[in-house]
Amino acid sequence: MTLVPRIGANIDLYCALRYPESPGFHFWEPLTYMFIHGDFTHLFFNMFALLMFGGIIEWTLGSKRFLVYYLSCGIGAAFIQFGIFALMLIKYHDIFTAAEYSQIIDEGWTALLQNKVFIDPTAASLSGLVNTGTVGASGAIFGVLLAFGMLYPDREMFLMFIPVPIKAKWMVTGYAVIELLLGVGGVADGVAHFCHLGGMIFGFGLLYYWKKRGTFNGWY
């Protein structure tokens, strides 16, 4: 999941995920943002993870339920990000008047379309939170990783640069902790860490709900 630094006359303008207060927001973005990526590397790693883990989860849940699960994690991740952004935006309501707040967002959107930014760092930060687009399927992918860790917790895996096998449940836990620390720490790496966590949160909730109801396609 990456944040698109620029917006041009392309698909990002209509399909990347923005905060609902942005003049560029469209109601379909919590779905469409999953199907566009910042570059080939971003797309490759997301699809590689989907290939590695998605097949066994689809086999376990069944194709229809897997599709529901995948899309729900992606959409849920978007709404988790909305919630985190809403909390982050509270401080700007204390800094600016309501009129100034709205003006910065509107002018920030126009400036972003022209590849310009505010000189004032506080105004630039506010505009960036609201108007910058998020793209990528990583929220849904992290939901798939969570499902693998929950359904096959003791499956051993080898990770790059780690010479010993790691059980899936510890791999997933490690990913979750790293994303939480990076998100809380406010690391400016252009990655939507809370969106990743959102995919895991919705994945956990959906799997728990299905478990309470009965079985996973006759296997769990």
Side-chain angles (χ1 to χ4, degrees):
M1 193 73 59
T2 60
L3 302 180
V4 181
R6 291 185 172 185
I7 299 177
N10 52 44
I11 194 171
D12 294 341
L13 182 63
Y14 302 100
C15 297
L17 179 70
R18 293 175 191 82
Y19 192 69
E21 288 184 337
S22 171
F25 176 77
H26 305 93
F27 71 87
W28 54 77
E29 291 173 2
L31 174 65
T32 57
Y33 85 105
M34 290 186 280
F35 300 100
I36 56 177
H37 289 75
D39 53 38
F40 176 77
T41 302
H42 186 203
L43 175 64
F44 173 80
F45 281 106
N46 273 346
M47 294 304 99
F48 180 75
L50 182 60
L51 177 65
M52 291 293 294
F53 300 100
I56 191 170
I57 302 304
E58 181 181 6
W59 175 80
T60 304
L61 300 180
S63 296
K64 291 182 179 180
R65 184 169 286 184
F66 175 75
L67 178 61
V68 170
Y69 179 81
Y70 182 85
L71 294 178
S72 297
C73 288
I75 294 172
F79 281 93
I80 290 291
Q81 177 157 300
F82 287 162
I84 296 298
F85 278 19
L87 295 175
M88 295 172 68
L89 288 168
I90 292 175
K91 68 177 183 180
Y92 296 98
H93 288 284
D94 296 330
I95 298 173
F96 301 107
T97 66
E100 290 172 338
Y101 181 91
S102 298
Q103 182 179 2
I104 289 171
I105 291 174
D106 291 341
E107 292 182 358
W109 173 250
T110 301
L112 199 58
L113 292 174
Q114 299 171 355
N115 293 322
K116 298 178 180 179
V117 296
F118 285 104
I119 296 176
D120 176 15
T122 306
S125 178
L126 168 57
S127 176
L129 275 175
V130 175
N131 290 317
T132 301
T134 301
V135 298
S138 300
I141 297 299
F142 269 74
V144 173
L145 291 177
L146 184 281
F148 187 83
M150 288 184 65
L151 301 179
Y152 299 93
D154 295 322
R155 180 73 60 90
E156 292 188 338
M157 308 180 64
F158 284 92
L159 301 179
M160 190 178 299
F161 307 121
I162 300 179
V164 295
I166 298 177
K167 290 186 177 182
K169 59 185 176 183
W170 302 125
M171 179 198 72
V172 171
T173 301
Y175 268 122
V177 171
I178 290 171
E179 291 298 321
L180 179 61
L181 292 175
L182 291 175
V184 172
V187 177
D189 56 1
V191 178
H193 297 288
F194 283 113
C195 208
H196 296 174
L197 284 173
M200 286 183 154
I201 291 170
F202 267 78
F204 177 85
L206 197 52
L207 290 174
Y208 182 79
Y209 171 72
W210 283 336
K211 179 182 178 181
K212 296 293 287 185
R213 288 190 59 190
T215 63
F216 290 120
N217 202 28
W219 292 97
Y220 288 86

